[in-house]
Amino acid sequence: MPISRRDALRYATAASAMAGLGAATGAFAPPAAAAGSTLIDFAMRQIPAQDIRAAGHAGVINYVSTSRPGSSFGAKPITLPYARSLAAAGLAIVSNFQYGKPGGTAPSDFTRGFPGGVADARTAWQLHTAAGGGQSAPIYFSVDDDVDRETWNNVVLPWFRGINSVIGELRTGIYGGIRACQWAVADGVIGRSSTPGRVWAWQTRSWSGGQIYPGAVLYQRIIDTASNPGPVVGGIRVDVNDVLAADVGQWSLHP
């Protein structure tokens, strides 16, 4: 897909900043070594930055959404003081929105169509900026279900169009299985990383048949469940995500 001169300049600036970040903090190495880095995601409570570093992770994917009715997750949403503590420790921060879920006390966000996408994007952007998130940083929106093409076309896609109408495609990302990531790219509802060939796709191992989408920037390799617990960091179990690109949408690259 062609890019504008403005985008080309922004991507070149981001690449330069990426090199500086890797040298200064060690949070991300240059692209050749980026695949060895990991980010964790979690909702139960805020994990101290020193515990994340001690566990060997490069940063977090944290929520810019609130808790569902009947729940009270301490890490939803990310707060400005917590974000500052992570940044001070040289940890990367990436934004994700998920309020509802299948079988939860609120339905999956993507079932709410275009108007739901508008509302979710407004909420996500407000919480993202309140916590210090970068003005050009993407927000990943969750498709936490095994959707088929018909559901994508008739239900999920209108939701993403609503999101795009608020924050634009360049700042929109997707969390989902491999097919959802591919469809998001084909329909032009997510943006591109400054890493060549990569897009704002955070792919989960679920519903992916052991395949990794070549354009993904993040891959959720370990998913914490009751039957397959994730590793413990700071006293709670977490999901672990492989970093597949130098630019995964971390705030420090997208001021």
Side-chain angles (χ1 to χ4, degrees), residues 6-7 13 41 43 75 94 133 153 155 160 170 173 184 186 194 197 199 204 225 233-234:
R6 180 179 179 181
D7 283 345
T13 302
D41 66 276
V94 175
N153 288 341
V155 181
F160 270 104
L170 286 178
S194 66
V199 295
T204 175
T225 64
V233 179

Side-chain angles (χ1 to χ4, degrees), residues 16-67:
S16 176
M18 183 70 257
L21 176 66
T25 71
F28 285 98
S37 299
T38 52
L39 304 182
I40 57 174
D41 66 276
F42 49 91
M44 189 61 62
R45 63 176 176 80
Q46 295 175 345
I47 300 175
Q50 62 268 25
D51 292 341
I52 298 171
R53 286 196 64 91
H57 301 292
V60 305
I61 305 167
N62 228 183
Y63 289 99
V64 287
S65 51
T66 57
S67 297

Side-chain angles (χ1 to χ4, degrees), residues 218-253:
L218 290 163
Y219 180 69
Q220 191 179 53
R221 175 171 47 87
I222 298 176
I223 305 168
D224 174 53
T225 64
S227 58
N228 292 287
V232 174
V233 179
I236 65 170
R237 301 200 311 252
V238 302
D239 300 331
V240 179
N241 306 273
D242 293 331
V243 174
L244 306 179
D247 180 5
V248 299
Q250 60 268 47
W251 295 3
S252 56
L253 273 190

Side-chain angles (χ1 to χ4, degrees), residues 195-214:
T195 301
R198 303 285 179 165
V199 295
W200 300 139
W202 171 19
Q203 182 190 342
T204 175
R205 178 172 55 83
S206 301
W207 320 303
S208 292
Q211 298 179 303
I212 300 178
Y213 176 49

Side-chain angles (χ1 to χ4, degrees), residues 2-255:
I3 63 174
S4 67
R5 291 179 62 187
R6 180 179 179 181
D7 283 345
L9 178 60
R10 177 167 65 86
Y11 293 161
T13 302
S16 176
M18 183 70 257
L21 176 66
T25 71
F28 285 98
S37 299
T38 52
L39 304 182
I40 57 174
D41 66 276
F42 49 91
M44 189 61 62
R45 63 176 176 80
Q46 295 175 345
I47 300 175
Q50 62 268 25
D51 292 341
I52 298 171
R53 286 196 64 91
H57 301 292
V60 305
I61 305 167
N62 228 183
Y63 289 99
V64 287
S65 51
T66 57
S67 297
R68 292 180 292 277
S71 62
S72 181
F73 295 115
K76 296 181 72 170
I78 187 171
T79 62
L80 180 59
Y82 184 54
R84 284 175 172 169
S85 73
L86 295 170
L91 296 171
I93 306 170
V94 175
S95 290
N96 169 241
F97 180 92
Q98 183 175 6
Y99 178 70
K101 67 175 294 184
T105 55
S108 295
D109 303 323
F110 66 79
T111 64
R112 297 168 51 246
F114 188 96
V118 170
D120 291 341
R122 287 174 176 166
T123 297
W125 192 246
Q126 188 275 322
L127 294 172
H128 170 88
T129 55
Q135 292 295 302
S136 64
I139 298 174
Y140 293 86
F141 291 82
S142 299
V143 181
D144 197 8
D145 207 349
D146 188 15
V147 297
D148 58 21
R149 184 71 197 203
E150 182 178 2
T151 302
W152 171 269
N153 288 341
N154 298 321
V155 181
V156 185
L157 185 56
W159 179 63
F160 270 104
R161 298 290 190 207
I163 293 167
N164 292 163
S165 73
V166 176
I167 64 173
E169 294 88 347
L170 286 178
R171 292 184 299 187
T172 302
I174 185 173
Y175 164 90
I178 188 169
R179 294 187 302 171
C181 292
Q182 292 169 323
W183 295 332
V185 173
D187 288 324
V189 293
I190 62 173
R192 298 181 298 274
S193 165
S194 66
T195 301
R198 303 285 179 165
V199 295
W200 300 139
W202 171 19
Q203 182 190 342
T204 175
R205 178 172 55 83
S206 301
W207 320 303
S208 292
Q211 298 179 303
I212 300 178
Y213 176 49
V217 292
L218 290 163
Y219 180 69
Q220 191 179 53
R221 175 171 47 87
I222 298 176
I223 305 168
D224 174 53
T225 64
S227 58
N228 292 287
V232 174
V233 179
I236 65 170
R237 301 200 311 252
V238 302
D239 300 331
V240 179
N241 306 273
D242 293 331
V243 174
L244 306 179
D247 180 5
V248 299
Q250 60 268 47
W251 295 3
S252 56
L253 273 190
H254 297 273

